Amino acid sequence: MNAVVIWGGRVLLLAVFAVALSGALNPNHDASSQVPPPDVVQHIGYGYLLTLLSIASLPRVNPWWIGGAFLVMATSFDVMQIFGLVSGTFQWKDVAANVGGVAAALAPFALARFRMVGARGAL
């Protein structure tokens, strides 16, 4: 499993590098065409920061429980928008952005867990 994570990381690294390089070398590159809407950026940012800062502030609480709690809360707010209980309109992109922000905050913990499992298997 550790090899899958390592090779997956390498593939993603090459993909991101290729996109960045093509944008840097293309004289007609339009960066504004790839920018997500402000509300999506806001959902990703809040999901990431709230999860990360909560993990740092609550060291005795399992990070996975914190991430799950934020996903439940964020999704609950989005569902409440359907019924008009909070302002805004329900959008799947908001739910996906919340998941992306929380996942980005938890990614280092997942990587550490895979590395520990791989190290145990090597013994």
Side-chain angles (χ1 to χ4, degrees), residues 52-71:
L52 194 65
L53 293 173
S54 295
I55 291 169
S57 300
L58 304 167
R60 292 185 178 173
V61 179
N62 186 326
W64 302 102
W65 284 104
I66 291 172
F70 277 117
L71 288 178

